[in-house]
Amino acid sequence: DQQVKQNSPSLSVQEGRISILNCDYTNSMFDYFLWYKKYPAEGPTFLISISSIKDKNEDGRFTVFLNKSAKHLSLHIVPSQPGDSAVYFCAATHQAQKLVFGQGTRLTINP
Amino acid sequence: KAGVTQTPRYLIKTRGQQVTLSCSPISGHRSVSWYQQTPGQGLQFLFEYFSETQRNKGNFPGRFSGRQFSNSRSEMNVSTLELGDSALYLCASSLAMASGSDTQYFGPGTRLTVL
């Protein structure tokens, strides 16, 4: 039962443009959502999070949007930079318990 | 502040052996969680420890076990290793805030290869 889904295994974006990564979830009990960035052979690095009481959170070039009615969240990166090339995981949790991860989206930023 | 550290970074074992992995959380963090990452299954939750007690457990066989010490450091043990246990094992720590908005921070992982 895949409670958190990232339907796009890969995404290619030109440098300077906007990158939009999407994530869907099925468990309406999730109350906290996070995005992590991962390079090969390294642990995931926390990027940005959002509580279920909000619909938007912004941190520099990164903005996360949450649509609870659609059970959908997205990560916007603008402008995209070559160093943003990595695998991005969305994750969800309920009452600070285990993180449930999506399968990841590999983002490639082309110069 | 130092991040989450994991030792060893790389490990090669043979089938049937057992292995112990170690994790030191960020100072002040009381919760330690373990995850397994494989190419086919993504990141799967193993278990979480808080105040030396296992608080949550994922769907892994009993060969996978762990413990947490009074200084919040944690160890994970896998007995009777199988080829399918080859994976990147990740440890994450958090403050374990009661509010629910609790961010987990990951270590670099231990790459286990079972031959």
Side-chain angles (χ1 to χ4, degrees):
Chain A
D1 176 28
Q2 191 69 25
Q3 297 187 66
V4 178
K5 295 181 184 179
Q6 294 175 257
N7 292 317
S8 299
S10 62
L11 176 67
S12 187
V13 174
Q14 195 167 3
E15 181 179 358
R17 307 293 288 266
I18 184 170
S19 296
I20 301 176
L21 297 100
N22 293 303
C23 180
D24 297 297
Y25 61 95
T26 58
N27 189 343
S28 57
M29 298 299 290
F30 287 142
D31 54 16
Y32 193 56
F33 303 87
L34 308 91
W35 283 94
Y36 288 88
K37 172 181 176 179
K38 189 179 185 301
Y39 294 115
E42 292 184 12
T45 302
F46 169 72
L47 269 178
I48 191 169
S49 62
I50 187 167
S51 165
S52 60
I53 62 173
K54 295 186 175 182
D55 54 19
K56 176 182 174 181
N57 189 26
E58 195 171 349
D59 184 3
R61 296 186 299 114
F62 302 92
T63 303
V64 56
F65 295 92
L66 176 62
N67 182 334
K68 287 189 292 295
S69 61
K71 294 191 178 68
H72 177 84
L73 69 156
S74 61
L75 173 68
H76 293 209
I77 306 173
V78 56
S80 300
Q81 299 174 354
D84 296 331
S85 295
V87 178
Y88 289 78
F89 289 94
C90 68
T93 184
H94 168 58
Q95 292 187 346
Q97 295 191 21
K98 66 176 184 179
L99 283 174
V100 180
F101 283 87
Q103 292 297 91
T105 296
R106 180 176 302 279
L107 175 65
T108 302
I109 306 301
N110 302 307
Chain B
K1 187 183 277 190
V4 178
T5 58
Q6 291 186 246
T7 56
R9 291 294 311 277
Y10 302 93
L11 207 48
I12 299 176
K13 292 285 189 179
T14 56
R15 280 181 298 176
Q17 287 187 308
Q18 75 166 22
V19 67
T20 299
L21 313 181
S22 181
C23 171
S24 293
I26 292 172
S27 177
H29 284 195
R30 300 184 299 169
S31 169
V32 173
S33 299
W34 289 88
Y35 296 83
Q36 180 196 65
Q37 186 187 17
T38 57
Q41 298 296 318
L43 277 148
Q44 302 289 319
F45 173 77
L46 280 155
F47 29 66
E48 183 221 358
Y49 285 86
F50 177 80
S51 292
E52 302 178 62
T53 301
Q54 187 180 87
R55 191 162 67 167
N56 288 296
K57 190 177 188 303
N59 297 322
F60 279 81
R63 299 184 298 107
F64 291 82
S65 63
R67 59 178 175 168
Q68 186 180 34
F69 302 94
S70 58
N71 61 358
S72 294
R73 191 177 70 85
S74 177
E75 287 182 348
M76 190 192 98
N77 185 276
V78 188
S79 62
T80 320
L81 284 166
E82 300 177 0
L83 294 178
D85 296 333
S86 294
L88 181 67
Y89 289 88
L90 293 158
C91 165
S93 75
S94 72
L95 285 168
M97 299 178 338
S99 67
S101 300
D102 193 41
T103 299
Q104 294 187 21
Y105 296 89
F106 284 82
T110 294
R111 169 72 62 185
L112 172 64
T113 302
V114 182
L115 302 175

